[in-house]
Amino acid sequence: MQSLFAAGIGALVGAVAPSVGVHLGWLSTLFIALLQMMVLPLVFPVVAATVARVPSIRTVGRLAAGSLTFFLLVTTAALLIAAFLAALCHVGAGAVGNVPSVARPRLGAVLPGLGAHGLPTSVFAAFAQGNIIVVTVFALVLGAALSAIGAAAEPATAVLESFAEAMVVIVGYVIRAAPLGVFGIVGYDVAHYGFTKLSSLAGLIAVIFAGMAIVTGILFPFIAAIFGVDYCRMLRVIGGSVGLAFVTRSSQTVLGPLLTGLEQFGIGRVAASFVVPLGYSFNTVGSVVYQAVALVFLANAYGIGASVSTVLVIVGLLAVLSKGMTGVASASFVILIGAAKAIGLPPDAVAVVLGVDFIADMPSAAVNVIGNALAAAVIDASMPKRPAAQLPVAA
């Protein structure tokens, strides 16, 4: 509500007093710079600690393997749907007037692991260069190694978790300044561009909501039908949790009620208790829809375009970066900062979508809840030797 109010005041100042509005851009620049400073120190411990806490696949067996496979397939499908929908709608085209020339991202350049010339000489160099791909991959590998060595890794994992919690708190401090950033960017945009740019942001929101609708109205029911899950009944049972996640912009706030609702739906406690918390880090379907549409928007706005190759680069990039960011306020915006830099966009490019981040976060959180509930139902239905009466079978 504060950000919405700030956007309205910013638009009013930009329209009534453009001479004042054109000097407000520094507020959003400062906000973006503060968040940019937090990206790598946040991503590294969060991803590493999350993966380190994943039980060994040999221990959990089919439950873990099935969950991780489901998460990968569903989030990738959602990314493809959202990115190609945004590309087909040409979202973002002409949103920014005079922009610097930006080269089209190439797979070999964006994913430096594919070419030895792109690899930094050390992990510390990757941090210094702001190379989020290498840092994220290293965090994934480190987390897997810590998980593999078991109890001996507990001290290191505890340090990573403590550092991650501290970074989440720091990001929370910065996020509190989001209304000032929104005020600055909207005031500057209206004064400098008029309302043309704001109309393009309305198009961005429309495509984000359309992508969410396709995922929840077509992709999820299709998956549910394959596994015999009564999707409509599931939505009725968890509807309160979905609504609460929407208004709070956080799926974390509804973990308890969601697990209770899934048990009422007929899902076994073991499956729900394992799949849902794991899905909070690896199955953020709503968030990746927002991220994919926003990144295509920025690619179009800055003249990169949304060719098939560019869209696939964006999908591959977000498939890696979106993992492990649960519990972070405006996590999608944090990821967008790193992703935009990785494909060659200017550091301040993401300021273009700052004014609508708080709107896009609401459906993202709600769809994340639905996606994790469906994942628990699918994994539960796939588990062997379950009494038929306990399976949530479609009517």
Side-chain angles (χ1 to χ4, degrees), residues 57 62-76 379:
I57 289 180
R62 184 171 179 173
L63 189 61
S67 299
L68 295 175
T69 301
F70 180 87
F71 297 159
L72 177 62
L73 293 176
V74 174
T75 53
T76 302
I379 299 304

Side-chain angles (χ1 to χ4, degrees), residues 70-71 74 216 220 234 238 275 283 285-286 366-376:
F70 180 87
F71 297 159
V74 174
T216 56
F220 284 175
M234 185 192 78
I238 66 169
V275 174
N283 191 41
V285 180
V367 174
N368 286 343
V369 171
I370 298 172
N372 284 313
L374 177 62

Side-chain angles (χ1 to χ4, degrees), residues 97-124:
N98 298 321
V99 296
S101 177
V102 180
R104 292 178 179 271
R106 293 180 294 105
L107 191 60
V110 173
L111 302 179
L114 297 179
H117 66 280
L119 288 173
T121 54
S122 71
V123 174
F124 299 104

Side-chain angles (χ1 to χ4, degrees), residues 25-52:
W26 68 271
L27 286 171
S28 65
T29 301
L30 177 61
F31 177 70
I32 298 297
L34 288 172
L35 271 181
Q36 234 180 338
M37 183 174 61
M38 304 297 170
V39 172
L40 293 186
L42 173 66
V43 169
F44 175 72
V46 168
V47 172
T50 299
V51 176

